[in-house]
Amino acid sequence: MRFRDYEEEKKYIRKVSETRYEIEKGFVPNMRVDGAFYVNESLEELVFEELRVACGRGSAGSFLPAVKQVANVASLPGIVGYSLAMPDLHSGYGFAIGNVAAFRTDDPEAVVSPGGVGFDINCGVRLLRTNLFENDLQPVREQVAQALFDHLPVGVGSRGIIPTTSRDLEEALASGMDWSLREGYSWAEDKEHCEEYGRMLRANPEKVSARAKKRGLPQLGTLGAGNHYAEIQIVDEIFDQAAAKKMGIEELCQVVVMIHSGSRGLGHQVATDALVEMERAMNRDRIQVNDRQLACARINSREGQDYIAAMAAAANFAWVNRSSMTFLARQAFAKTFNSSPDDLDMHVVYDVSHNIAKFEEHLVDGRPVELLVHRKGATRAFPPYHPLMPISYQETGQPVLVGGTMGTCSYVLTGTERAMAETFGSTCHGAGRARSRNESRRKLDYHQVLENLERKGISIRVASPKLVSEEAPESYKDVTEVVNTCHAAGISCKCVKLRPVAVIKG
């Protein structure tokens, strides 16, 4: 893709509010709708600097800045509204990380794109509360951190300790958390506080390749590597007392546990397999896209339906994966505190998905329409009284879990009506990278990163210390500014701030 002069490129981007920019048609060829992204004054320079650097390179290289990717998504057949990006946006595969796009299912031209879901299908975050407080934790903090590290298999190629046969895997892919409940790895009420109740009904394990299943079989109940983690966190600030109380978070210094992981090698292989099939489908159906990474297929084509069924199965795998680690985390805490998970009140606050495509009903031109909503590095943020909210959260709206970076705070937000009107009920998912992994390894010394965490009083257990530089806070945007942007824009509301005291990494 050729780039115009930076000032020419920027003419297509206009600021429409303190937190929202829009990308006009013509920024890239064939845009069917405008693009939009949310940033505040502190974050906008990162977005424009990425574009400025890309313009300086001209047509050299294949790097596309996030705003170009958001605009390219706006050219896909069947897209409605805007191609949207949350304030944690950064460049990704095809779609930007933080990209949200919705496609009409009654439009025969509309497509589904694996790039709009990502390779780690249903990467997401789960939050567990406890009735412990910081004073209870501090004398045994190192022991709890070590117990979590011992119980949760971490790192690239890690193998799960939950006994799983091929038949178990097939059933988990089909049934999601219902399998976990049946096998005793989940509490009955866990699924009530999980998107889709922990099971996508469109899942079909037969559409998941043998290679994907082979990769996934040994990885059930594993954390993985990269930005995945388990953290012991402390309630640091409560912005909405009533909503927090509904979540079982009632006092400052309360201890919670956050688990961030996805579908591991199985989900990656599902995406890889689908991209190969969709390139063939694009040639057959003469679908033109601006970027070959936006490989897609008509929603109602064989390839489209096969991917949706396989993606749903991978999403079920991810929910089972997080449920299995919840079981292991409960065991680690029970062992350390010589108690039971039930007595420690280790209930699931909520479980959110960051990389997924879902069939949802939204208003388009004032009428309810079924849409296939792609969220890649974005979180669902449904408002109070939405029919998909569990009874306990009808008055508050959906809890939105926003994970920070290693050593920085995380947040719990709540969904809003504004999000339903503007972003198809979506908001941010985390901090968003500010540096590539390669740049982080070059510029950051992992010894220094570990020393900084120790000075903050944060215990860390990591499978590969040299990879810590990739996940250092300096590699990411300021998660507080990301959250503040969403709060100011009204697409989610701040509820609780959490600070880490122990980090488990792959």
Side-chain angles (χ1 to χ4, degrees):
M1 175 177 287
R2 296 188 64 86
F3 288 85
R4 295 170 287 240
D5 175 81
Y6 172 69
E7 293 302 326
E8 285 294 315
E9 294 277 350
K10 201 173 176 182
K11 287 179 181 178
Y12 288 90
I13 303 174
R14 64 184 186 277
K15 189 171 187 176
V16 297
S17 75
E18 289 304 307
T19 55
R20 178 171 165 129
Y21 282 84
E22 294 187 355
I23 307 167
E24 296 178 341
K25 294 176 185 175
F27 185 64
V28 300
N30 308 316
M31 289 175 67
R32 299 165 188 262
V33 298
D34 287 347
F37 59 93
Y38 292 83
V39 287
N40 65 7
E41 189 175 352
S42 298
L43 297 172
E44 63 184 22
E45 182 54 32
L46 287 169
V47 175
F48 288 111
E49 177 60 23
E50 191 182 45
L51 178 62
R52 185 184 297 111
V53 169
C55 288
R57 294 176 181 173
S59 59
S62 58
F63 168 76
L64 285 181
V67 289
K68 284 281 186 181
Q69 292 188 311
V70 172
N72 282 336
V73 169
S75 71
L76 291 175
I79 190 170
V80 296
Y82 290 82
S83 172
L84 299 154
M86 302 301 112
D88 44 344
L89 80 158
H90 57 97
S91 182
Y93 183 92
F95 282 57
I97 310 298
N99 216 161
V100 176
F103 300 81
R104 292 186 69 124
T105 59
D106 60 359
D107 181 348
E109 301 294 306
V111 298
V112 58
S113 175
V117 172
F119 284 92
D120 191 1
I121 295 168
N122 193 9
C123 179
V125 172
R126 175 174 293 205
L127 186 68
L128 312 177
R129 69 177 189 238
T130 77
N131 56 18
L132 298 167
F133 290 89
E134 189 168 15
N135 288 339
D136 302 313
L137 178 69
Q138 284 301 348
V140 292
R141 188 185 66 192
E142 292 295 338
Q143 292 96 306
V144 180
Q146 188 62 45
L148 263 184
F149 188 70
D150 291 341
H151 278 71
L152 300 180
V154 302
V156 175
S158 54
R159 300 178 67 88
I161 59 175
I162 300 289
T164 312
T165 65
S166 295
R167 181 176 177 179
D168 289 327
L169 178 62
E170 294 286 333
E171 294 178 358
L173 292 173
S175 303
M177 284 179 61
D178 287 337
W179 178 86
S180 300
L181 179 60
R182 190 193 74 193
E183 296 297 317
Y185 300 120
S186 179
W187 294 354
E189 58 267 37
D190 288 353
K191 60 182 288 187
E192 298 298 317
H193 288 173
C194 183
E195 285 190 34
E196 307 297 317
Y197 299 101
R199 179 184 184 183
M200 293 187 82
L201 299 177
R202 294 175 185 264
N204 183 351
E206 294 181 3
K207 302 303 181 182
V208 178
S209 70
R211 178 168 174 76
K213 291 173 183 176
K214 183 178 180 180
R215 292 182 66 180
L217 182 60
Q219 294 182 331
L220 201 58
T222 64
L223 195 62
N227 64 343
H228 295 154
Y229 60 79
E231 281 190 359
I232 303 171
Q233 301 170 335
I234 302 297
V235 175
D236 198 47
E237 195 169 353
I238 299 177
F239 305 100
D240 186 334
Q241 199 78 42
K245 187 174 181 178
K246 288 286 187 181
M247 301 174 195
I249 298 174
E250 302 189 39
E251 297 184 53
L252 297 178
C253 298
Q254 188 174 342
V255 176
V256 299
V257 180
M258 184 175 279
I259 297 171
H260 176 203
S261 190
S263 51
R264 306 288 279 112
L266 183 140
H268 193 285
Q269 191 63 47
V270 165
T272 302
D273 294 340
L275 288 169
V276 173
E277 290 295 312
M278 288 187 178
E279 285 196 8
R280 298 186 187 126
M282 289 171 64
N283 290 332
R284 181 194 67 214
D285 297 335
R286 298 179 182 177
I287 300 173
Q288 299 292 321
V289 294
N290 289 349
D291 178 5
R292 66 185 302 270
Q293 291 185 357
L294 292 175
C296 57
R298 309 285 188 213
I299 292 174
N300 293 319
S301 68
R302 178 187 62 79
E303 293 82 2
Q305 289 295 302
D306 284 355
Y307 170 69
I308 289 167
M311 178 207 67
N316 288 346
F317 180 94
W319 279 312
V320 172
N321 191 34
R322 290 197 288 275
S323 293
S324 299
M325 285 187 284
T326 298
F327 170 82
L328 296 171
R330 285 168 172 161
Q331 296 304 307
F333 267 71
K335 180 178 179 180
T336 305
F337 289 97
N338 193 28
S339 185
S340 71
D342 189 53
D343 287 340
L344 293 172
D345 193 36
M346 296 189 72
H347 289 269
V348 173
V349 173
Y350 209 64
D351 181 299
V352 298
S353 306
H354 293 160
N355 290 358
I356 205 159
K358 293 184 185 177
F359 291 91
E360 299 171 358
E361 188 175 273
H362 292 271
L363 293 178
V364 177
D365 298 327
R367 295 182 179 181
V369 177
E370 186 186 57
L371 303 175
L372 181 57
V373 182
H374 295 60
R375 294 187 183 94
K376 179 181 180 179
T379 310
R380 195 182 73 175
F382 283 178
Y385 307 111
H386 192 283
L388 291 181
M389 285 300 93
I391 293 174
S392 52
Y393 296 138
Q394 279 290 309
E395 295 179 4
T396 66
Q398 180 191 311
V400 175
L401 310 177
V402 181
T405 60
M406 188 173 59
T408 67
C409 59
S410 297
Y411 287 87
V412 182
L413 315 179
T414 52
T416 66
E417 289 288 355
R418 184 80 173 266
M420 289 299 287
E422 286 191 13
T423 63
F424 303 106
S426 309
T427 191
C428 65
H429 89 300
R433 293 198 73 90
R435 289 176 169 171
S436 70
R437 296 185 186 279
N438 287 336
E439 184 183 2
S440 296
R441 284 197 298 270
R442 286 198 310 269
K443 295 187 176 181
L444 300 174
D445 183 283
Y446 75 92
H447 294 102
Q448 190 67 45
V449 175
L450 293 174
E451 288 172 8
N452 289 341
L453 291 172
E454 188 175 350
R455 278 197 296 270
K456 292 178 180 178
I458 300 172
S459 302
I460 184 163
R461 298 293 186 278
V462 58
S464 179
K466 292 184 179 181
L467 297 182
V468 164
S469 299
E470 295 181 8
E471 300 303 318
E474 296 87 346
S475 302
Y476 286 83
K477 299 176 183 179
D478 184 339
V479 68
T480 297
E481 293 298 338
V482 170
V483 165
N484 285 345
T485 302
C486 293
H487 183 83
I491 57 174
S492 49
C493 291
K494 292 194 290 187
C495 183
V496 177
K497 178 183 177 184
L498 307 167
R499 61 178 168 85
V501 291
V503 182
I504 311 303
K505 295 285 292 185

